[in-house]
Amino acid sequence: MVTEDIEILPALRLAMIDRVGQDRFELWFGTNNTQLRLGEGCLLIESTSRMNLDFLRKNFHEAIRQALSDVQLPGHQVIYREGSAPVPKAPSPSAVKAEKKMPSAASSTQPTRASSSSSTIIQRRRFASLKDFVVSDCNSMAKTAATMVLQQPGQISPLYIHGPSGSGKTHLLEGIYGLAQQKKELGRVVYLSAEQFTTYFLEALQTSGVASFRRKYRDVGVLIIDDVQFFAGKRATKTELLHTLDAITRRGGQVVLAGNQRPTELSALGTELVARFSSGLICKVDPLDETCKTAMIQRLAEKRGVALTESVAHWLTRQLPGEGRLVSGAINRLWAYCAVEGNTLSIPVLENLLADLIPQRSSMMRLDDVEQAVCRVFGVDTKLLRSQSKSRRASNPRMLAMWLARKHTGAALSDICLHFQRRSHSTVISAEKKVNKWLADDSIVQIADRSLKAQEAIELAEAELRSSR
């Protein structure tokens, strides 16, 4: 079955025009007597006249083969076939161009309105700033590179940033765009997604506006393209992108790209594009670590006016995955909950409200898990917890650990006693009663180097315990 590729076929027509000239193309291929169709591994040239076909084969075959190579279809076979009645086809590039020149109120005003609308949308677009970008071990190299390319544009081109969704790639690209616009010496700065680049290129092909498209994107000082993996499978667009990157690089411009994988893993883009992407500087951004999540949670909570206690903030940091969009969504959900319910946020509320955002973990808890959670949260050494010391620095966290062990592990008194190296299980019973009294009296307890309300100390330890499951 022969099918027409809406992207490749217009590009092929333009390539043939470049090879044979506008007038000759219109004379022999621009009428309804001759049809071009792309099939599986072949280009079908169909005409109602056998004499026509013989002339095309004799005089244009080599130019057609070269045009196929220009649009990355060098292996396609050219088949000439005599057809019956011609099928209506889309206007040729020159016909569309001639039609655009005709005086028409509709054709002259509509593009202006569309352009004005697009401009308004772009102006209202709120881009992220590099000043707001939280730097940590997971992204420090990419952040430094983003600053370097603006200080020395064209010296490291392209800059390619890759990482999983929600790791901050788009934030970096928008930050580069914002700062680049402030530097007039860089010239025109363009930021768009791979999908937008493809859409605009297809529109240019269909309206014979390729020359304008190329001026717009090849004559820039800085070109920033996000989600380059979208180019996979789009042959004509990949060819155009390749030439665009080469043109900008030759002029000393700066290219910044982002994708979800390293270039060598994007084999569907083809070896030439992968080589271009790899020729500059490649930086990886990892999922948000705890430092980034903590800063992001605090910043978003302040922006939304959501009050977070230390235990709740700690729980969110440990429980939410390292994806920026999910962190933002979680804070928005808490904001909506507080606006409707007006209740104070607590760990049980969070567990119910954000259940679908929290990765599922094993439900088994061990005595070791409890002990390690208490030690990590309060900075206590395991040896001190199991020592025979009766000082408050050792006994308070030990009693808290025993209370948590009774609540979460279901271990027998004798097992808890043995784990914490106590002489009798009555020590565990006494610890449980003591912590219950703290809770009943809403006492402030000294746990290691921190003075906390008993309930808050327990919530901190439980948040750590859940995150380690």
Side-chain angles (χ1 to χ4, degrees):
M1 179 180 179
V2 177
T3 58
E4 288 194 5
D5 189 319
I6 62 170
E7 180 186 1
I8 295 297
L9 201 51
L12 178 62
R13 289 194 180 101
L14 287 171
M16 290 174 65
I17 290 172
D18 290 341
R19 292 287 178 181
V20 305
Q22 182 78 47
D23 294 338
R24 295 185 74 201
F25 179 86
E26 286 302 326
L27 179 62
W28 294 101
F29 298 96
T31 68
N32 283 340
N33 292 329
T34 304
Q35 303 291 323
L36 300 179
R37 303 174 186 271
L38 277 174
E40 192 66 35
C42 71
L43 170 66
L44 178 63
I45 301 177
E46 190 174 29
S47 177
T48 56
S49 167
R50 170 60 61 182
M51 186 180 299
N52 234 20
L53 288 174
D54 291 341
F55 184 87
L56 295 177
R57 185 185 292 108
K58 181 179 179 180
N59 294 278
F60 292 102
H61 185 78
E62 185 57 34
I64 293 170
R65 298 289 307 169
Q66 291 172 351
L68 284 169
S69 181
D70 290 342
V71 295
Q72 294 190 338
L73 298 175
H76 271 48
Q77 182 183 3
V78 183
I79 300 174
Y80 300 87
R81 188 175 74 184
E82 188 175 358
S84 52
V87 242
K89 65 175 184 176
S92 65
S94 61
V96 176
K97 187 175 182 179
E99 182 180 346
K100 287 175 66 181
K101 291 181 179 179
M102 293 175 62
S104 167
S107 63
S108 63
T109 58
Q110 186 63 30
T112 303
R113 287 200 300 267
S115 174
S116 174
S117 173
S118 299
S119 175
T120 301
I121 292 173
I122 292 174
Q123 288 173 2
R124 291 178 180 177
R125 173 77 162 85
R126 296 187 63 184
F127 287 95
S129 169
L130 280 182
K131 293 179 180 179
D132 298 329
F133 191 78
V134 181
V135 182
S136 186
D137 293 340
C138 63
N139 55 32
S140 58
M141 181 178 176
K143 171 59 166 58
T144 302
T147 306
M148 288 170 57
V149 297
L150 293 175
Q151 295 172 345
Q152 299 176 321
Q155 298 298 310
I156 309 173
S157 185
L159 169 62
Y160 184 92
I161 301 172
H162 70 95
S165 176
S167 57
K169 303 185 300 296
T170 300
H171 190 144
L172 280 171
L173 263 57
E174 291 184 358
I176 294 172
Y177 174 73
L179 287 181
Q181 279 193 314
Q182 299 173 17
K183 295 177 176 288
K184 302 302 180 184
E185 66 273 15
L186 294 181
R188 194 156 51 89
V189 183
V190 173
Y191 170 85
L192 71 172
S193 66
E195 181 181 8
Q196 288 173 315
F197 185 93
T198 302
T199 301
Y200 299 154
F201 177 58
L202 292 181
E203 290 176 354
L205 287 177
Q206 294 165 5
T207 60
S208 191
V210 175
S212 174
F213 176 89
R214 288 172 178 169
R215 283 195 302 272
K216 182 175 181 180
Y217 294 108
R218 295 187 185 185
D219 295 342
V220 301
V222 181
L223 177 64
I224 306 170
I225 303 180
D226 201 356
D227 295 323
V228 295
Q229 68 276 0
F230 182 83
F231 290 123
K234 297 168 178 60
R235 290 172 291 187
T237 308
K238 288 191 296 183
T239 302
E240 181 64 26
L241 176 65
L242 186 67
H243 294 314
T244 299
L245 297 182
D246 288 344
I248 295 174
T249 302
R250 283 195 298 268
R251 289 177 42 256
Q254 178 66 50
V255 177
V256 182
L257 308 168
N260 61 358
Q261 293 175 298
R262 65 181 74 248
T264 51
E265 294 172 345
L266 296 173
S267 56
L269 295 183
T271 55
E272 289 185 314
L273 269 183
V274 168
R276 298 302 193 284
F277 291 176
S278 305
S279 64
L281 175 62
I282 301 174
C283 295
K284 181 183 180 183
V285 286
D286 292 313
L288 306 184
D289 56 19
E290 288 194 11
T291 301
C292 284
K293 280 194 289 183
T294 299
M296 188 173 182
I297 287 167
Q298 292 173 347
R299 185 174 299 165
L300 291 173
E302 290 174 3
K303 181 179 178 181
R304 291 295 188 191
V306 178
L308 301 178
T309 63
E310 183 182 356
S311 58
V312 166
H314 181 79
W315 186 92
L316 289 170
T317 299
R318 296 301 301 241
Q319 291 291 328
L320 289 173
E323 184 175 341
R325 294 182 183 91
L326 289 184
V327 174
S328 177
I331 298 300
N332 288 339
R333 197 176 297 184
L334 298 184
W335 168 70
Y337 171 83
C338 292
V340 173
E341 300 294 336
N343 296 335
T344 303
L345 294 172
S346 62
I347 302 299
V349 169
L350 297 183
E351 289 176 337
N352 181 59
L353 200 59
L354 306 177
D356 58 317
L357 301 182
I358 306 301
Q360 296 298 314
R361 298 182 174 93
S362 170
S363 59
M364 293 183 61
M365 281 197 186
R366 304 169 303 166
L367 290 171
D368 275 334
D369 297 330
V370 173
E371 182 180 56
Q372 292 301 322
V374 171
C375 289
R376 280 195 299 269
V377 170
F378 301 109
V380 179
D381 188 82
T382 304
K383 293 180 180 179
L384 181 63
L385 215 60
R386 298 188 184 189
S387 71
Q388 300 302 315
S389 172
K390 295 183 180 180
S391 67
R392 186 170 297 177
R393 178 175 175 80
S395 63
N396 282 356
R398 183 191 303 131
M399 287 189 289
L400 180 61
M402 291 179 178
W403 186 91
L404 291 168
R406 288 285 288 165
K407 178 180 178 180
H408 292 288
T409 68
L413 290 172
S414 56
D415 292 334
I416 299 174
C417 175
L418 183 63
H419 182 86
F420 289 101
Q421 299 182 2
R422 302 296 98 187
R423 293 189 180 88
S424 168
H425 66 266
S426 61
T427 307
V428 181
I429 297 174
S430 175
E432 190 175 12
K433 290 180 179 179
K434 183 69 172 179
V435 175
N436 285 335
K437 189 173 188 308
W438 289 347
L439 292 171
D441 297 342
D442 198 21
S443 302
I444 294 178
V445 185
Q446 183 74 25
I447 307 289
D449 297 327
R450 304 174 66 178
S451 295
L452 301 166
K453 285 190 175 183
Q455 182 61 46
E456 189 175 359
I458 289 172
E459 287 179 354
L460 282 170
E462 287 181 329
E464 178 67 26
L465 187 59
R466 290 187 184 92
S467 67
S468 62
R469 285 159 59 185

